Amino acid sequence: MDKFVIKGGNLLKGVVEISGSKNAALPILSSTLLTNEKCVIKGVPYLRDVETLCLILKELGVKIERKSNGDIETQVIDERNSIARYELVKTMRASVCVLGPLISKRKYAKVSLPGGCVIGVRPIDLHEKGLRLLGAQIDYEHGYLIANTKGLVGCEMYLGGTFGSTVTGTANVLMAACLAKGRTVIENAACEPEVQDLVIFLTKMGAKIKGIGTHRLEIEGVKSLKCATHKIIPDRIEAGTFIAAGALSGKGITIKNCRLDHLSAVIDNYNQMGVTIEKTSATTCRVKHARVLKPLDITTLSYPGFPTDMQAQTMVLLTLADGISIVTERIYPDRFTHVAELNRMGARIRKEGSTAVIEGRSQLWGAPVMASDLRASAALVLAGLVASGTTEVQRVYHIDRGYEKIEEKLNSLGADINRLSDKVAMPIRLSASPTTTKESMMRHTTRHLPRQ
Ligand code: EPU
């Protein structure tokens, strides 16, 4: 397992480009199961989660090719296997996105239940509810969900639970409804930009969907879907994470390929903290750090509210704010694995149920810390950038699931992050000792820029 060794204190400056959205790419790639024609998806990030989904799709009979320009070309060539295996699904919950397309197109799906997750229980009862209402019979056997149907039929449904709407649940029901007979209405649909991007792609494929960007989606089923080409939207959470980096430690960083209209709640809260985010073009912004960060009271909510996927990263800023902040998690009440690790770096955070109370202080110090989920890992990296001394973030495979080349991008802005294999005891520089192993040299991908 790799780890990051981060020397804190460098000021960040320069330009960084945001990759395509992971959470848009995963359902969109899954939706290509709905047609036998060729689809081209552009701007798909190079991430472990994307690789996992491609492996699942290959097993489901999809020919997948990653072109030299990064485009992914998909075409279903064999529909005999409709089983998504535990060994692959267990590594990524979003694998459940193949369920809707499979039951709709092939009338059968056997998908492993994803199992536990550090950010909470994460049930899929709403996915199941929606698909049952469309006419799927659903059974559970030996850790698998098995769905059968003689043909889905559209209906009106309310798709909400204790924690509100569901993003991948909406995606699953939406994809299934595209080929169902008649009209489906999803009330309380998720309207996250990633769901909107899926609606755009499905519409290009010939689906008939009304209500994009709202909590009410109306789908008129069609007999078949066709080929389509689509460019994935920029990853709003990666952009938000770089805004947080610039806000923490920036001489001024410019973020390219970023949709500020997808980040209104983040921008509003960062402005309240005293961070300047200046829109310099439709897809570019410039972030300047605040001399003094002001405390915040934030609650995570579904879109357009403050995203849970930016909660951990924002908490790092609040540990350095001038006063007491409150962060309440309304999407995943247990998504606080970063709290104990940040406290090891000198933060003062007290957790009370699904709320964290953060007493700001003037400095964090470097420490060995353990990443346990994707966004918590990003938070620990951000903390390492501003902490005094060296921070070791272990188990960075979590971050590789969702951030493309994060250490290279941060190093290009002036950070000092080394990726090391855990087998290597000390940070290795390419020009260093003759004991440097071949493996560690190959893994050492970072560039060292002069401190500013
Ligand atoms: N929920 C249910 N029943 C369900 C589905 C969800 O009770 O059947 C609950 C969840 O437990 C949670 C809430 O509803 O409390 C929202 O969950 P949702 O289904 O919206 O989450 P998801 O679709 O599994 C996506 C993202 C997550 C992101 C959430 C919330 C993808 C692949 N994943 O998950 O992204 O946090 O929406 O916005 O789109 C990440 O990228 O780090 C990540 C975890």
Side-chain angles (χ1 to χ4, degrees), residues 22-23 122-126 166-168 309 331-332 375:
K22 163 180 88 77
N23 290 346
R122 302 186 76 181
I124 55 164
D125 56 312
L126 297 173
T166 161
V167 174
T168 50
D309 292 343
I331 306 292
Y332 297 117
R375 308 304 170 187

Side-chain angles (χ1 to χ4, degrees), residues 3 9 18 89 91 94-95 124 150 157 164 178 214 234 238 246 259 288 303-304 341 369 414 424:
K3 66 181 172 188
I18 300 305
V89 172
T91 64
S95 318
I124 55 164
K150 290 201 170 75
M157 67 176 80
C178 287
T214 73
E238 189 196 6
R259 289 274 303 263
K288 277 197 210 139
Y303 190 80
E341 301 302 302
V369 286
V424 181

Side-chain angles (χ1 to χ4, degrees), residues 165 186-192 211-217 302-304:
S165 55
I186 309 174
E187 297 283 4
N188 201 34
C191 65
E192 269 68 2
I212 182 167
T214 73
H215 290 296
R216 184 178 196 273
L217 290 175
S302 52
Y303 190 80

